[in-house]
Amino acid sequence: MLKMTQSPRLRLKSLFRLTVTGLMGLFLSASFASAGEWRTLFDGSSLEGWKPFLDNQQFALVDGVIVGSSSSRTHFLQTEQEFGDFELELEVKLHDTDLNSGVQIRTSTSRPNGKGDPRFVIHGPQVDLGKSPGRSGHIFSQGNGRWITPKAELTRNSFMKNGEWNQLRVIANGPRIQTWINGERVSDVVDEDVYQSYPNGVIALQVHGVKHSPETVRHISFRSIRIRELED
């Protein structure tokens, strides 16, 4: 029987692969070890811990879920608490495919006007949610009119299931933001400039304004919202 032996070069490559795999495993273990306990942000029984931005009336608790109803303007339901580094999970259902939505993270609720006085406006990173195929899971800079996801990575996907419940997962850790829809990774973006502008802020649910036939109300639902904060 012939005895197969590895050359020194192949042995070195194998050792390198094993070392990298081990370090990656150690890194992932350390990452999860530094995460706090899961906290429920919405349990289906009340909207405690949430408030409408600018006192809009477009969000309601209906049969244990948060239902957003469209109008001609864009509206938000925001957390009372601000968050920095975290892992967020929730479920979302887009009832009408001609309605766009999103989830704001690390978002600010005001910015100074020309005189330096605060002007109430939502601005910051948003995980886009819309019909499939589309750009759901990519990251938009709400209030700034541009995408945070690089143009080369802004590809359309079919991970969202139209008219069904979908799971959204977001990890915001320092300048890195990662998103998944139904277990499929969409975005993995590192942007130091965005992080410097938005290191922390509220989480907010969006129902986008409808310009075409706004009298026809569209709906989006959210449920099972939970978060765990990441420690340094």
Side-chain angles (χ1 to χ4, degrees):
M1 180 181 295
L2 292 176
K3 184 178 181 180
M4 302 298 293
T5 59
Q6 283 186 323
S7 69
R9 185 175 181 180
L10 287 176
R11 285 197 299 271
L12 184 60
K13 285 185 176 180
S14 298
L15 180 61
F16 176 76
R17 285 195 296 268
L18 287 172
T19 302
V20 170
T21 302
L23 288 174
M24 288 180 65
L26 182 62
F27 172 77
L28 290 174
S29 298
S31 297
F32 281 102
S34 65
E37 296 294 324
W38 283 107
R39 273 179 50 202
T40 299
L41 291 183
F42 172 68
D43 62 3
S45 62
S46 76
L47 292 179
E48 182 180 357
W50 296 82
K51 63 180 181 180
F53 177 69
L54 296 182
D55 297 324
N56 71 80
Q57 303 296 314
Q58 302 308 119
F59 294 88
L61 178 61
V62 181
D63 297 329
V65 303
I66 298 173
V67 178
S69 303
S70 70
S71 72
S72 59
R73 296 177 56 194
T74 299
H75 297 284
F76 300 90
L77 182 71
Q78 68 178 78
T79 57
E80 295 177 347
Q81 182 180 346
E82 294 189 353
F83 300 92
D85 291 349
F86 58 83
E87 181 176 4
L88 173 72
E89 290 184 351
L90 59 85
E91 293 183 9
V92 56
K93 179 195 288 188
L94 199 66
H95 298 266
D96 302 276
T97 56
D98 59 345
L99 175 66
N100 181 256
S101 181
V103 174
Q104 297 289 142
I105 61 171
R106 292 175 169 171
T107 289
S108 298
T109 57
S110 69
R111 68 185 350 153
N113 60 19
K115 298 180 180 180
D117 299 322
R119 179 170 61 94
F120 294 105
V121 59
I122 289 282
H123 61 104
Q126 178 197 110
V127 182
D128 190 69
L129 297 171
K131 69 177 181 180
S132 187
R135 291 174 172 172
S136 294
H138 289 298
I139 306 168
F140 184 71
S141 189
Q142 175 70 27
N144 299 305
R146 67 177 185 85
W147 287 95
I148 295 173
T149 299
K151 185 176 181 180
E153 301 173 17
L154 200 58
T155 56
R156 298 169 69 83
N157 65 73
S158 298
F159 300 146
M160 280 278 285
K161 300 175 183 177
N162 295 328
E164 299 181 26
W165 284 106
N166 299 271
Q167 186 185 57
L168 172 66
R169 179 185 179 213
V170 182
I171 295 179
N173 193 6
R176 185 181 188 185
I177 300 176
Q178 299 167 278
T179 67
W180 291 260
I181 292 179
N182 294 323
E184 301 288 345
R185 189 164 71 179
V186 182
S187 283
D188 189 346
V189 175
V190 177
D191 194 313
E192 292 284 354
D193 291 336
V194 170
Y195 181 58
Q196 291 299 316
S197 298
Y198 301 101
N200 55 63
V202 302
I203 292 169
L205 312 178
Q206 182 207 62
V207 57
H208 201 281
V210 177
K211 301 302 181 184
H212 176 66
S213 62
E215 67 280 358
T216 302
V217 180
R218 286 81 161 173
H219 298 94
I220 185 168
S221 295
F222 300 90
R223 70 181 184 187
S224 304
I225 307 175
R226 66 176 190 165
I227 194 169
R228 60 177 178 176
E229 297 185 76
L230 305 179
E231 303 169 2
D232 292 338

